[in-house]
Amino acid sequence: MKTSRPFFKIPASFFLLIFIFIISNSIIGQQYGSLRGFITDSTSGEPLAFSNVLIKELNRGSSSDNKGIVLITSLQPAYYTILVSYVGYQSKEISAEVKTGKLTHIDIKLSPNSIEIQTVEKVGESVAESNATDLGVERISVKDLEKLPQGVETDIFRSLQYIPGVKSAGDISARFYVRGSPSNQNLILLNDIPVYHPFHALGMFSAVDPEMINNIEFYKGGYTAEYSGALASIMKLNTKSGNMNNISGTAQASLLTGKALLEGPVFNGSFVLTGRKSYNTDVLKKFTNNKNVPINFYDVSLNLSFPEIFPNGNVKIFGFLSSDIIYNNNMQQADFKWGNKLLGIKWFQLSDSPLFFEINTYFSRFEGEVISNLSSISPSKNSLTDITMDMNFKYVYDSKNELDVGLKIQEVTSELIIENASGSSKDISGPKGTNIDAYGKYKFLSNKNIGIDLGVRLNLTRLATGDAGKYFIEPRFSTTFRIFSELALKGSWGIYSQELVTLSDEDELINIFEPWFIIPSYLPAAQAIHYGLAIDYKLSEKFSFELGGFYKSLISFPALNDYKFYDTDHDLVEAKGRSYGLEYSLIYSPFPFRMNLGYSLSWAEKTANGKTYNPRYDSRHSLNISVEYNIGYGWYSSLSWNYYSGLPFTQIIGYRDEWDIKDIYDTDNIYDNLFPYTITGERNANRLPDYHRMDISISKNIDLEFLKLYLSISIVNVYNRKNIFYFEKDTGERVNMLPFFPSASLKAEL
Amino acid sequence: MKSIFIKKHALILLLLVIVGCDDGFSPKGSFENGYSFFCIINGNTSVQKAYVAKNYNPPNIVPGTFEGEKSIPNAKVSLFYNNSSFSFYDSTLLSEEDGRVYYSYFLENFSVSENQMTIVVELDDGSVLSSNAMCTGNLRFSYDSQKNIVYNLKDAYRVAFYDKNDAFYFSPKLFINYEEKIGNAVINKRIEVPRRYLINGNDVIPEYPDLAERLDFYYPILMIENTLNSIKESALQNSIIVINNLTLEVLEVSEPLAAYFEVNKTFNDGFTIKSQQPEYSNINGGKGIFGYKYTSVLNVGLDKSWENLIADMGYLFLR
C-alpha cells in the first residue's frame, strides 16, 4: 500500500544554524525604534490594504498588509515625515517621533478623492517593494476590479484571468486554471476559511459577492510556508470590516441578481451584512445554448468586527452561506442542490513590541446532493466538514528580519455516498481525518537589496488515515535580489501537498458541482514542486514589467479512473504531470490611463490511466490587455481584450453503432436500439481555433446629496467573435461561447 | 477630413467583423475503419441473435445523415460451447424504429446451462472479432427464501441464494399474482412490488430494484401490503379479486454485460456537457458486447397471517 513519503530529510544542523541566526538577531540593534501605522478610510474607518508608506527622510518605505497595518523597524530615534498614499485617496503627510527601544503607533486616515478630481496618487511603491519576497503574489484592491468590464455580473474569479499564468475556463465558467494545473488544485479562502465550492449556477459565477470584499491576495505559485492545502494557487479574499462611523448601505441590480449591503457601527465595533439572490435566470440562456436552467441561488454574509475588545486587537466573527438549487418540477428529471456554510472567529492582536499574533477558528461545510427522482442518474450525496484552529505568530526584529511560526489543527469529515437504484450505498471517500501541521519561517530583510524567505512546513499526520508517523516535510524558499533600484531578480522554490480534492471529470465542459472528499488512503497525498524565477523592472511609478519563468512538477495527484466499470473498481487513479512556461506582465499608467498587459507562453502535460497528453486547459499562448480611462467628472471607461491560442481537443474520426440497452430484461431487438457512438482519435491531440474577445464598459458615478449612484453599461464580445465551446454530438451543432451581449447594472449607495 | 474619418472607422469596423466571423472549423479527423459486434445469449430461450456493424463516416458531423449500410451480411459467426461449434445464419430485419433494413444473425435450438462459451466472427476482409462469456443455470435459493411470507410489518421478505458467483450481477422482480373475475371471465394478472416509494408532493412513486452485485436482497412487508392494497385502484368495476401467490424472478447477467449496461445507462442530467462518451467493450478486434443472461423463477406463497388483511381489503385469498 502506498503511503505519504517525505521527499528528503533536512539535517538537524540546518535548523540549529537558523536558530543561532534568529537568536543573534534579537541581540543586534537594541538602539533602534519602530513605527507602526494603521491606515484607514477617513469616512468609514475601513482598513486600506496594500497602501504605500514612505519615510521621506530615509527614502525607506513599506506597504500595509491586508489589514491596513504597516510596520517599519530599525529606525534611528528621530522625528520623521511619513507620506502615505493609496489609489483613489488623497495622499497624506504626517510627522511621528521614533524613540529608542519603543514602538510608535500612528493612525492614518486617508480621505477619498472627489469624483471630479479623481487623480491617481501613488508614491513610494518602488521603495516599499525593494526587497519584498513576493514572486508569484498579486495583491488586488476590489476597487481595481470594479473598473474592468464586468459583463453579466461582477466576478472576482473572472477578473483574475488578466494575471499571466491564470487561464479562465472560458466564457461559460468562472473556474480558472493556474500554471497548467487542474482547477481543483486552487484553494479559495474567505477570511482565511476555505470555501470548497465557491461557485453559483453550474460554475458560471463565483459564489463570493465582490461587494463584501476589501482586498484579494492571489498566490499563483511558489508561496511561502504559512500557506498550505493547494498544489496550484491560493486566493485569499479579505472582507470589509464595515463602516465604523455611520449606518450606510448599497443596493444593486444586474440582469441576473439583486443584491444589497448594509454596514455600520455596532457595540463599539462594526458590521457588514451582504445578500445576493438570483431573480431572473433568462440571461443564463446566453451561457447554455438557449437551454433553460431552472436554478435559484443566493449568498449571504455577515462580518462583525470588534477592535476595542482588546487594546490594539481585533476580534472578527464571520459567517457566510451560499445555496444553489436546480428544481425541475418533473419526476423524470433529477434535482440538484448544493451550498456552503462558513463560520469563523478570528482574534488578531498587536502588542507593544513588534509582535503580531492571530488565532483563527473556523467551520466550513460543503453539501451537495443529486436527487435522482425517476431519472437514470445515480443519486449521490456529498458533504465535507472542515473544523480547524490555527495560530500564527509574527515577530519583526530591529534588524527588519521577521520570524513567523504557526500551528494548524484540522479535522475533516467527508462523505461521498453513491447510491444505486437498488438502494445499496457506498461511501467512496476517506471518511474522517485529522491533520496537524506546523510551520516556521524566517525572513531575511536586513539588507535593503536582498530579501530571503526561508521556511518549512511539517505535516505530522495524513488526513486520510489520521496516522501519526506518516509525516512529510514541505520546505519553501523565496528570494528577491535587487540589482539596481529599478531591477530585481526574484526566485522561489517549494514543495506543496493537498489532501482534499474534488472528483473531477476532465471531459465535463460544464457540470453541476464537483464533490469534495479526502484523498483515499489507497492513493498518496497530492504533491507538487514549484520552481520560479523572474526579473522585475520598475522604471517609475507609472511603468513596470515583470518577466519570469516557472516549472511545476505534479508528482502525484488523483485523477478519475477511466477504466472504472464495476462498483468494486477504485474511482481514482494516481496521475502525474508537469507544466512550465514564461510569463510577462506590464503595467503602464500615465494618468488618466492605466494599461495592463499580461502574456504567457506555457506547456502542460498530464499522465493518467496510462496515457500522457495535454490537458484540456493547456493553452500555449495567452494574452490579456486591459485599458482603463478615467474620463473625469465621475465617468470611467475600460476596454479589455483576451486572447488564448487553441485549446486541446479530441478529434472525431468516425461513428459506429452502439447498443443502448434500455431494458436489461429485453435484449432481443438489438437493431431497434442502436445509437451513433462517436469514435474519437488520440486524446487531446489537436487544437481548437484561437479564442479572443473584446469587452468594453462605461460607468458613471453620480454623487447626489443623500445618495450615490453608480451606473455601468458593458458590452461583452464587442465584435461578436464566434469562439467555439463544443459540438453537440447528436446534431453536429457548433455551440459557441458568449455572443455580442450588452448588459447594465445600477448601484445605489446611501 | 470627414471622409478620412469615415474611411478609418469603416476599416476598423470591417476588421472587427472579419475577426469575429466563424472560422469554419471542423472537429473531424481521418476516418478509421473498424467493427462492432453485439450478442446476448439468453439462457431462457433457444433462439439467439447477434449484430455485426462497421464504422461509418458521414459527410459532415451529423451521424444521422449517413445513408450507407452499416450492418454487415455474410459474416461467419460461430459459437463454441462444450467442445461443440454452432453457426449463426444471417437474415434481414426491418427496424420498427427507423424503417431501415438491417442484417442480423440467428442461432436456433441453442441453450446453455453452465460453463464458458466463445464466439468468433470472421469478416470478408479477414478481420476477426472474438469474445468469451460465462453462463449459468438456475439459482439455488435459500430455504428461508422459499418459505411462505409471514405478515409482520416490522419484517421483510428476505431472499438469499447459495453459490454466489462473482461473474454475475443480479436484478430481482417480485410480482403478486392475482385473478380478476367478472362473471365467468377470469383474467390472470400480476403486479410488481416496489422496493420503496418516493414521495414528491402529493405523488407517491414506486421504485424498483436495479441490477447490482449481490448475495441477497429484501422487500419490506409494508411494500407487499401497499402493493396488495393498490390492486383495487386498477380493478374493473364489480370484479372479484383473488390473491394467489407471489413470483420472484431474478435476472442474472454476466459481469461484462452488467458493466456495459451501467456504462451505457443515460447519465445525462440535462446540464452536464461531456466532451467524451464512456465506453465499455469486451470484443477483441473491435467494439461491442458479448454477454449472457438467465432468469431464475421462484414461486412463494403468502402465509395464513395475511388472510384477515386481504379480506379487509375486499379480496379473496387463495391458499
Side-chain angles (χ1 to χ4, degrees), chain A residues 343-400:
Chain A
L343 183 64
I345 180 163
K346 182 187 284 189
W347 173 27
F348 173 74
Q349 187 63 51
L350 301 167
S351 71
D352 291 336
S353 62
L355 174 73
F356 305 71
F357 75 83
E358 192 174 76
I359 299 174
N360 189 20
T361 305
Y362 63 77
F363 161 90
S364 176
R365 180 173 170 85
F366 166 71
E367 287 175 308
E369 187 174 0
V370 177
I371 305 153
S372 66
N373 297 325
L374 293 179
S375 72
S376 55
I377 298 163
S378 291
S380 64
K381 268 186 188 176
N382 173 228
S383 69
L384 185 127
T385 307
D386 177 354
I387 299 171
T388 296
M389 189 172 93
D390 63 49
M391 290 172 276
N392 304 287
F393 296 84
K394 175 190 275 203
Y395 186 79
V396 183
Y397 293 95
D398 281 345
S399 61
K400 300 182 219 167

Side-chain angles (χ1 to χ4, degrees), chain A residues 314-332:
Chain A
N314 196 344
V315 174
K316 279 189 168 190
I317 300 167
F318 177 71
F320 173 77
L321 279 177
S322 75
S323 171
D324 282 62
I325 295 175
I326 296 179
Y327 180 60
N328 281 297
N329 198 22
N330 178 350
M331 286 302 279
Q332 299 303 325

Side-chain angles (χ1 to χ4, degrees), chain A residues 117-379:
Chain A
I117 53 154
Q118 198 154 3
T119 59
V120 172
E121 292 197 57
K122 206 175 177 188
V123 291
E125 191 170 275
S126 56
V127 176
E129 292 173 351
S130 64
N131 62 352
T133 50
D134 56 1
L135 180 59
V137 184
E138 297 284 340
R139 295 188 173 91
I140 305 157
S141 151
V142 160
K143 284 186 183 297
D144 292 337
L145 295 184
E146 286 172 351
K147 292 165 188 165
L148 294 171
Q150 299 303 340
V152 175
E153 190 84 4
T154 311
D155 199 304
I156 290 167
F157 296 177
R158 286 178 188 278
S159 306
L160 291 178
Q161 65 185 309
Y162 298 98
I163 299 169
V166 180
K167 209 192 101 24
S168 132
D171 296 357
I172 313 302
S173 176
R175 286 189 168 85
F176 57 94
Y177 306 104
V178 179
R179 289 180 168 174
S181 277
S183 63
N184 65 356
Q185 292 179 1
N186 303 319
L187 180 63
I188 312 298
L189 298 171
L190 185 55
N191 279 344
D192 292 325
I193 308 173
V195 189
Y196 286 103
H197 186 78
F199 301 105
H200 280 313
L202 319 182
M204 289 182 224
F205 306 99
S206 84
V208 181
D209 181 1
E211 287 299 309
M212 73 172 97
I213 301 300
N214 177 305
N215 62 78
I216 302 159
E217 293 166 275
F218 182 68
Y219 300 82
K220 64 179 177 181
Y223 28 94
T224 48
E226 63 268 45
Y227 300 109
S228 65
L231 294 192
S233 77
I234 289 177
M235 189 196 297
K236 282 187 73 175
L237 301 162
N238 302 305
T239 60
K240 290 172 181 167
S241 295
N243 195 322
M244 297 286 291
N245 306 323
N246 308 299
I247 292 276
S248 63
T250 62
Q252 191 171 355
S254 69
L255 297 179
L256 177 68
T257 63
K259 56 185 177 181
L261 175 148
L262 187 67
E263 59 182 327
V266 61
F267 304 124
N268 293 328
S270 58
F271 76 95
V272 187
L273 176 66
T274 67
R276 174 170 62 162
K277 187 171 184 329
S278 61
Y279 63 83
N280 179 7
T281 53
D282 279 354
V283 70
L284 296 182
K285 290 180 181 172
K286 297 270 182 199
F287 293 75
T288 57
N289 197 25
N290 279 324
K291 193 183 288 178
N292 184 41
V293 185
I295 194 165
N296 275 295
F297 64 82
Y298 70 84
D299 53 73
V300 183
S301 79
L302 175 65
N303 189 78
L304 297 166
S305 183
F306 301 105
E308 293 182 17
I309 290 182
F310 304 104
N312 290 325
N314 196 344
V315 174
K316 279 189 168 190
I317 300 167
F318 177 71
F320 173 77
L321 279 177
S322 75
S323 171
D324 282 62
I325 295 175
I326 296 179
Y327 180 60
N328 281 297
N329 198 22
N330 178 350
M331 286 302 279
Q332 299 303 325
Q333 289 180 286
D335 297 324
F336 307 86
K337 57 182 181 182
W338 66 96
N340 296 284
K341 291 172 188 160
L342 272 65
L343 183 64
I345 180 163
K346 182 187 284 189
W347 173 27
F348 173 74
Q349 187 63 51
L350 301 167
S351 71
D352 291 336
S353 62
L355 174 73
F356 305 71
F357 75 83
E358 192 174 76
I359 299 174
N360 189 20
T361 305
Y362 63 77
F363 161 90
S364 176
R365 180 173 170 85
F366 166 71
E367 287 175 308
E369 187 174 0
V370 177
I371 305 153
S372 66
N373 297 325
L374 293 179
S375 72
S376 55
I377 298 163
S378 291

